[in-house]
Amino acid sequence: ILGFYQGDSLEEAGEVLLANANNFLGKKGPSIDYKPIKVDESFYLDIDKTVRSAISYKLAGSDRDIISFGIVESLATFISDITDNIHQDMNIDGVVLGGDLFRNRVLLEKTAVKLAKNYPLLFPKEASI
């Protein structure tokens, strides 16, 4: 959608986006909207809002690395905000960061910094972090 990848593989497109974010040398990216929506009794990410937000920066002439960084940085903020919301309902004692997505340096660093202000961070033994 943003023109950063020309193939058909969503996994490869995601890898390109994460690589672009890693290439960004600045400190702050654009704020990309991540909003949960409730459908029946479940919550989902409003992907339309997220895509529209990223496209607006593309149309404004921002380059791919800063947009990619903004997408990742804003996802870290979203994760932190959701964690705070969960903490209000369920008194959590710590946050476990695991999964392949956190192998990305930018996402791991941004998420860890935001979460570590309020929660102890835990990592699975298997994680290569």
Side-chain angles (χ1 to χ4, degrees), residues 47-108:
I47 199 69
D48 290 340
K49 187 175 232 13
T50 303
V51 169
R52 280 185 273 151
S53 179
I55 287 174
S56 69
Y57 288 103
K58 174 83 171 171
L59 294 173
S62 297
D63 76 14
R64 68 181 188 160
D65 291 350
I66 193 169
I67 294 171
S68 298
F69 186 83
I71 290 169
V72 172
E73 182 179 45
S74 295
L75 178 59
T77 300
F78 176 75
I79 292 168
S80 176
D81 291 348
I82 290 294
T83 303
D84 290 341
N85 291 343
I86 292 169
H87 180 67
Q88 289 176 357
D89 295 335
M90 306 165 47
N91 191 19
I92 58 176
D93 296 325
V95 176
V96 176
L97 293 179
D100 286 346
L101 195 56
F102 286 108
R103 289 185 308 167
N104 178 269
R105 177 187 55 82
V106 173
L107 182 61
L108 176 62

Side-chain angles (χ1 to χ4, degrees), residues 10-22 100-101 103-104:
L10 288 177
E11 185 174 335
E12 288 177 18
E15 293 296 327
V16 168
L17 184 125
L18 293 173
N20 293 345
N22 285 339
D100 286 346
L101 195 56
R103 289 185 308 167
N104 178 269

